[in-house]
Amino acid sequence: MARPLIAHIDLDALRHNYRLAQELAPGSRSVAVLKADAYGHGAVACAKALEDLVPAFAVAAIEEAVTLRDAGIATPIVLLEGIFSADELPQVDALGLSMTLHSDWQLEAVLAFTPRRPIPTWLKVDSGMHRLGYSPAAAEVAWQRLAAQPRCVTDLHLMSHFATADLADIGYFSRQHRLVMALAERLGAPTCLANSPAVLAHPEAHGDYNRPGVMLYGSDPLELSCEASRRLHPVMSLTSEIIAVRELSPGEPVGYGGRFTTAGPSRIGVVACGYGDGYDRHAVDGTPVLVDGKPSVIAGKVSMDMMTVDLTDLPEAGIGSEVVLWGVSRHGALLSVDDVARYCDTISYTLLTGVLPRVPRRYVGGSASSPVD
């Protein structure tokens, strides 16, 4: 029998979450973000599940785009970070990709290149994230230069990224939004602005395109959940089983360093999952899990291939019992990846993208005839 750790991927839930993005932004087009192997869910499988719904996919780099094209995905693909060197431009042209421009060297490379057909281009403006993008004044100059070269570029859009759209305090978000919209108005430019939290909570930022990312995979990115974010369905369920049970007396240490010590007579279950699978080693004692659909907690440090959980109050649990690290139990109980992330002092993005290749993915649903709500 194979090791029982499995990442179950519900592609119908993925389609549901994409439909939710469409519903929330009916006047905008939702570009599905598949970077980082679709946030750890498998980019090719997720692309095939969504290709009948989406106007375009977005990835971080050309290697991710090549993977999709090699799998037969013909849908438009946007390179969110553009090219990393000018010698990528022939491949961008050959694969029919769209690209982001955020720096002068990229601009000069594109204007010096003669594509077979003009490259759809999104010009990135730094409205306050201070990561990638032109200042508003420089973006105005770059836009005019691009607009004057229709042989090189086409379908120009203005793009930006919000630093605080997830926070309850909307002050800085509003400042960014006002700045980029003033620039868009001066240029007469269509926009692509909204990331997942802006799609969920800021309809004023939906623009011509929006870019749902982590919300597609069922994670709520908002500091304070809203009605829309509570409608998200989890896509990945990371499950394993109890592979051994220890009966311990009071005062016994468990795991490396003896961080957890039994307070009374205890049953400790050993689970086939560890940081070598991508589960976060920083998980503290008390991090929630589900055992046969019932709440339990981690007791002791996460090891490379195993972790230990407290079964003291679950006398019926034993070897072979299902353990849900996050997601949906076969008993119907739910453990949110966002809740687990808080116990690890991290965010759901790191947990989902951190699930390593040795964990098999099992896919269900996802066809055009599958239900989406």
Side-chain angles (χ1 to χ4, degrees), residues 93 132 145 286:
D93 186 30
L132 295 178
R145 292 188 64 193

Side-chain angles (χ1 to χ4, degrees), residues 35-338:
K35 64 181 180 175
D37 198 29
Y39 291 61
H41 293 69
V44 170
C46 291
K48 289 183 176 180
L50 292 174
E51 62 183 336
D52 67 309
L53 299 176
V54 304
F57 294 116
V59 298
I62 199 166
E63 294 84 0
E64 295 178 330
V66 169
T67 296
L68 296 178
R69 287 287 188 254
D70 285 349
I73 303 299
T75 304
I77 300 173
V78 182
L79 302 177
L80 291 174
E81 296 176 36
I83 55 172
F84 293 88
S85 65
D87 60 13
E88 292 179 355
L89 284 170
Q91 196 171 22
V92 170
D93 186 30
L95 296 175
L97 305 179
S98 305
M99 62 176 289
T100 299
L101 285 179
H102 59 75
S103 299
D104 277 338
W105 74 264
Q106 292 177 324
L107 175 66
E108 299 302 337
V110 168
L111 294 181
F113 179 64
T114 304
R116 294 179 300 175
R117 53 190 176 275
I119 299 171
T121 299
W122 293 3
L123 184 69
K124 189 157 193 178
V125 58
D126 179 7
S127 58
M129 182 76 171
H130 302 319
R131 197 171 58 178
L132 295 178
Y134 285 91
S135 69
E140 198 158 353
V141 174
W143 180 276
Q144 299 298 347
R145 292 188 64 193
L146 290 166
Q149 296 294 336
R151 68 174 181 81
C152 296
V153 299
T154 189
D155 197 23
L156 279 174
H157 280 69
L158 198 64
M159 178 185 180
S160 195
H161 195 74
F162 296 118
T164 62
D166 56 322
L167 300 185
D169 182 346
I170 67 169
Y172 195 72
F173 161 80
S174 297
R175 174 182 164 185
Q176 279 193 265
H177 183 248
R178 287 193 302 270
L179 187 152
V180 73
M181 289 308 297
L183 176 61
E185 185 174 348
R186 290 198 301 273
L187 296 174
T191 60
C192 178
L193 306 177
N195 52 4
S196 286
V199 171
L200 288 164
H202 297 289
E204 69 274 21
H206 287 164
D208 298 271
Y209 281 100
N210 61 87
R211 306 186 305 276
V214 79
M215 68 170 285
L216 294 181
Y217 308 99
S219 172
D220 183 351
L222 298 176
E223 182 179 36
L224 298 177
S225 296
C226 66
E227 186 276 333
S229 68
R230 288 189 288 271
R231 293 171 59 194
L232 294 168
H233 291 181
V235 176
M236 180 190 291
S237 295
L238 186 66
T239 72
S240 189
E241 293 179 1
I242 300 291
I243 61 171
V245 177
R246 305 304 307 274
E247 304 277 353
L248 299 179
S249 301
E252 291 290 338
V254 176
Y256 285 116
R259 183 182 70 185
F260 176 83
T261 302
T262 57
S266 301
R267 296 178 74 237
I268 299 296
V270 181
V271 183
C273 180
Y275 62 78
D277 302 296
Y279 194 91
D280 198 322
R281 186 177 178 273
H282 298 98
V284 298
D285 296 331
T287 299
V289 299
L290 298 175
V291 178
D292 287 336
K294 298 178 180 178
S296 183
V297 295
I298 288 177
K301 290 183 179 180
V302 175
S303 304
M304 180 178 285
D305 309 303
M306 293 172 280
M307 65 175 67
T308 44
V309 299
D310 191 351
L311 302 181
T312 306
D313 295 330
L314 300 174
E316 70 284 2
I319 293 173
S321 288
E322 178 198 51
V323 179
V324 172
L325 290 314
W326 62 72
V328 182
S329 163
R330 62 173 173 247
H331 304 84
L334 170 65
L335 175 58
S336 166
V337 67
D338 301 300

